[in-house]
Amino acid sequence: MNIFEKLLCIQIELKAPKNQYNSFGKYNYRNCEDILEAVKPICKKYGAVLVLRDKPFVVNERYYVETTATLYDCEKPEDHIFVTASAREEETKKGMDGSQVTGASSSYARKYALNGLFDIDDTKDSDTTNKGGESQGKGDEKDNPNPLTREELKEFGVTDFKTFGEWVKKNYKKAVLLLTEGECDEIRDYLTVQKEKREKKVQTEAQSAYDKAVQDGDDVPF
């Protein structure tokens, strides 16, 4: 069995369902770790080994992470197949330091390199729903199985949709309806962090008010 036959068997047997759940956005997703956990025993079965390599690079002063996913034949290590994918780092991302921003970009790049290598159908994105270069309208939203809807954005605390749309265009150079699944997930992660920070601030302010009332001798509930 050569490396291509082994890859074909792995692609057929690999099952990596979207078992992760985002309670804020109410959507299911899979991450890089889910794919790796599912594929490792199959690689062992067919005598193959998967290697992931990250390489940063710069384009127009923007940093990217390129991941190469390579499948080696354990019997003939010189025989291998690889797929690359890349993700751009955000210039700044609230709630994350530099290493976390790089790590998030690496996770996205690794996930999509694995998708390409093992033919994982990760649902349609703007490239598959955009017919012949035609612009998408409101009716096309149903073609995106993982869109950012107004109802979902409200749960994250977004109420000014015009400002949100301008923020998306500034950071992603496209309209909300043209965002890919990975970009939608990235925005959800960012909005989740912001919501948690707001809730923590409210709790802190409430605790401070409670402590002050106790200190002043006011009657307060337990």
Side-chain angles (χ1 to χ4, degrees):
M1 185 179 293
N2 61 42
I3 186 64
F4 292 99
E5 292 171 322
K6 292 183 177 183
L7 176 59
L8 175 60
C9 291
I10 294 172
Q11 289 176 343
I12 292 173
E13 293 188 22
L14 177 60
K15 305 296 180 185
K18 296 183 177 183
N19 291 328
Q20 306 294 331
Y21 182 72
N22 185 302
S23 58
F24 288 104
K26 294 187 172 74
Y27 65 95
N28 294 89
Y29 66 98
R30 75 171 64 87
N31 56 28
C32 175
E33 289 75 17
D34 295 326
I35 300 173
L36 292 175
E37 182 179 359
V39 79
K40 285 178 181 178
I42 306 176
C43 286
K44 180 179 179 181
K45 175 181 177 181
Y46 290 103
V49 62
L50 174 68
V51 177
L52 296 173
R53 296 185 178 91
D54 289 342
K55 181 179 70 174
F57 64 96
V58 180
V59 177
N60 295 328
E61 299 183 352
R62 294 302 301 271
Y63 288 87
Y64 292 74
V65 176
E66 180 184 81
T67 292
T68 301
T70 307
L71 187 72
Y72 290 91
D73 189 335
C74 293
E75 299 172 354
K76 297 180 64 178
E78 65 274 14
D79 291 346
H80 58 275
I81 304 173
F82 68 91
V83 169
T84 62
S86 60
R88 190 184 72 184
E89 293 185 7
E90 290 294 327
E91 290 183 302
T92 59
K93 195 164 185 178
K94 294 181 180 180
M96 290 188 178
D97 59 25
S99 61
Q100 290 173 317
V101 171
T102 300
S105 299
S106 172
S107 295
Y108 279 111
R110 287 183 171 215
K111 174 182 174 181
Y112 289 106
L114 292 170
N115 284 353
L117 181 62
F118 297 117
D119 281 349
I120 299 174
D121 184 3
D122 209 22
T123 70
K124 297 177 182 178
D125 58 22
S126 59
D127 293 330
T128 58
T129 57
N130 190 358
K131 305 291 192 300
E134 297 177 358
S135 62
Q136 288 183 314
K138 292 182 179 179
D140 294 314
E141 186 173 342
K142 63 180 182 298
D143 294 328
N144 185 349
N146 201 27
L148 283 165
T149 64
R150 290 197 172 193
E151 290 72 19
E152 181 180 356
L153 291 172
K154 287 179 182 178
E155 295 184 11
F156 286 113
V158 177
T159 56
D160 189 341
F161 301 113
K162 180 179 179 181
T163 300
F164 175 77
E166 293 173 349
W167 178 85
V168 169
K169 287 184 179 180
K170 178 181 178 181
N171 289 277
Y172 293 90
K173 312 304 180 185
K174 63 179 71 173
V176 175
L177 286 177
L178 297 180
L179 291 170
T180 65
E181 180 184 6
E183 290 167 338
C184 286
D185 289 346
E186 182 176 315
I187 292 174
R188 289 184 179 103
D189 290 341
Y190 170 76
L191 294 177
T192 297
V193 171
Q194 298 308 305
K195 182 175 181 179
E196 290 175 346
K197 289 174 67 174
R198 289 195 302 271
E199 291 175 345
K200 184 176 180 180
K201 181 180 179 181
V202 170
Q203 293 174 356
T204 301
E205 292 176 348
Q207 184 64 47
S208 297
Y210 179 89
D211 294 340
K212 185 177 185 303
V214 171
Q215 185 177 4
D216 294 342
D218 298 335
D219 292 332
V220 294
F222 289 100

